[in-house]
Amino acid sequence: MTRKLSDQVDAMIAPSGKIERILEGYRVSCPVSVVPSGIDTEKYRRRIDDGSREALRERYGIKKEEIVFVYVGRIAKEKNIEELLWYQKSVQKNIKLVLVGDGPYRTTLEEKTKEYQVTDSVIFTGMVSPDEVARYYQIGDLFVSASTSETQGMTYDEALAGGVPLLCRKDDCLKEVVTEGKNGWQYENESMYLECIQKWKEFSEDENAQYSSSDSRPVFQRELCKAGGEGLPGSAGRKKKTECLCGLMIEIKWRKYGIWFHLPGY
């Protein structure tokens, strides 16, 4: 069906390299260009003060010394959140897993928390207002995801823009996003998941030993936030997205009609 459709269009737009490679695997006949969905990095890089952050954590009974792993997104089966609950058994002593969002699989996962005996260390926030989502990223010390169903993984970019490093199951959509040991880690099984947590802890401790600041967040997070999402491949932003689309339109005209033209401002 996709290949048939490609015979009737001048070009296809893929939101990520992962989808581009899938389309190429279908042997589509038209050009495929990657145009990432831009996010407003300013919205996510805007820090809530430490008092507000602690107040939000306290709302869910999270102690100051506890580590928070945060997931933001739809609570659906394809997100593979059950894997995170299973792994939580091994780390729940001083780590809380906060699942931000709602969806059709929530009731099943709530039952799984009882089955896996992790009820006390897993928090379901339910649906959160879009205006509040950026604040919820910032209560986390690590953003976690076990999904391999993402087409572009915009929540990864949102977390990074807010200064929160990633711990995610290895996936094609992360190839241009995660720089191992710099802004996050990828795992393939439980032992790797636990190993990545240890690496993150050691990295954070080493970094914080070198600096002193009134900002209570780990240096790792402060530096990521300072970058504000700049250079994130999946966070091209509105201007970059416009440039990509304009470039694609020019290419289509050139390929189809042999016409080259200049678009003012690009």
Side-chain angles (χ1 to χ4, degrees):
M1 175 116 181
T2 303
R3 191 160 63 239
K4 193 173 182 181
L5 178 63
S6 72
D7 293 332
Q8 303 171 42
V9 299
D10 295 311
M12 286 185 167
I13 295 172
S16 66
K18 175 181 179 178
I19 301 304
E20 179 188 31
R21 289 184 283 274
I22 289 173
L23 290 172
E24 288 172 347
Y26 291 162
R27 299 199 301 272
V28 296
S29 58
C30 66
V32 178
S33 292
V34 177
V35 183
S37 299
I39 64 168
D40 181 0
T41 54
E42 280 300 318
K43 174 182 176 181
Y44 296 96
R45 76 183 295 188
R46 197 177 300 121
R47 299 303 304 180
I48 59 176
D49 60 60
D50 286 341
S52 299
R53 182 174 184 267
E54 293 308 318
L56 190 55
R57 287 166 65 113
E58 285 174 10
R59 182 193 300 180
Y60 295 101
I62 302 168
K63 298 172 184 174
K64 191 172 182 178
E65 67 276 9
E66 287 181 313
I67 294 169
V68 174
F69 287 0
V70 64
Y71 163 87
V72 179
R74 190 162 175 265
I75 308 296
K77 186 173 184 178
E78 67 270 14
K79 301 297 184 180
N80 198 27
I81 300 169
E82 187 175 336
E83 179 174 279
L84 297 176
L85 298 182
W86 178 260
Y87 292 171
Q88 186 65 13
K89 292 172 63 176
S90 304
V91 300
Q92 64 178 323
K93 188 175 180 181
N94 67 332
I95 293 175
K96 288 286 175 71
L97 174 61
V98 179
L99 304 175
V100 181
D102 213 337
Y105 208 54
R106 177 175 171 176
T107 302
T108 301
L109 291 179
E110 286 175 332
E111 289 300 317
K112 289 294 180 184
T113 62
K114 296 173 186 174
E115 181 184 332
Y116 299 159
Q117 299 182 332
V118 294
T119 307
D120 292 340
S121 67
V122 177
I123 297 165
F124 292 85
T125 69
M127 189 64 73
V128 170
S129 161
D131 294 335
E132 293 288 302
V133 170
R135 298 176 71 236
Y136 277 80
Y137 278 108
Q138 293 178 31
I139 68 171
D141 297 294
L142 267 178
F143 177 86
V144 293
S145 173
S147 175
T148 56
S149 66
E150 307 303 313
T151 57
Q152 54 186 323
M154 291 180 69
T155 54
Y156 305 141
D157 298 326
E158 291 168 356
L160 289 174
V164 183
L166 310 177
L167 174 55
C168 304
R169 174 167 274 285
K170 191 172 184 178
D171 186 58
D172 239 15
C173 76
L174 290 166
K175 279 186 176 179
E176 296 89 5
V177 177
V178 174
T179 303
E180 205 77 13
K182 296 288 186 182
N183 64 359
W185 291 266
Q186 296 183 72
Y187 70 89
E188 296 180 68
N189 51 49
E190 184 174 7
S191 62
M192 285 182 69
Y193 182 83
L194 299 176
E195 185 180 327
C196 288
I197 293 172
Q198 188 56 40
K199 286 180 181 177
W200 166 72
K201 286 181 178 179
E202 290 170 0
F203 186 92
S204 297
E205 287 169 3
D206 289 345
E207 287 289 289
N208 283 316
Q210 300 176 43
Y211 298 90
S212 62
S213 169
S214 57
D215 189 338
S216 66
R217 290 171 294 145
V219 172
F220 194 39
Q221 278 186 282
R222 296 203 295 271
E223 292 303 311
L224 272 176
C225 189
K226 197 182 294 179
E230 293 174 9
L232 295 180
S235 302
R238 283 188 285 267
K239 186 174 186 297
K240 183 64 177 175
K241 185 175 182 179
T242 303
E243 289 173 352
C244 291
L245 286 169
C246 289
L248 178 58
M249 287 189 290
I250 291 170
E251 183 182 348
I252 290 170
K253 289 282 186 182
W254 174 252
R255 287 172 182 266
K256 193 170 184 180
Y257 304 112
I259 300 172
W260 186 263
F261 62 92
H262 174 67
L263 200 67
Y266 294 96

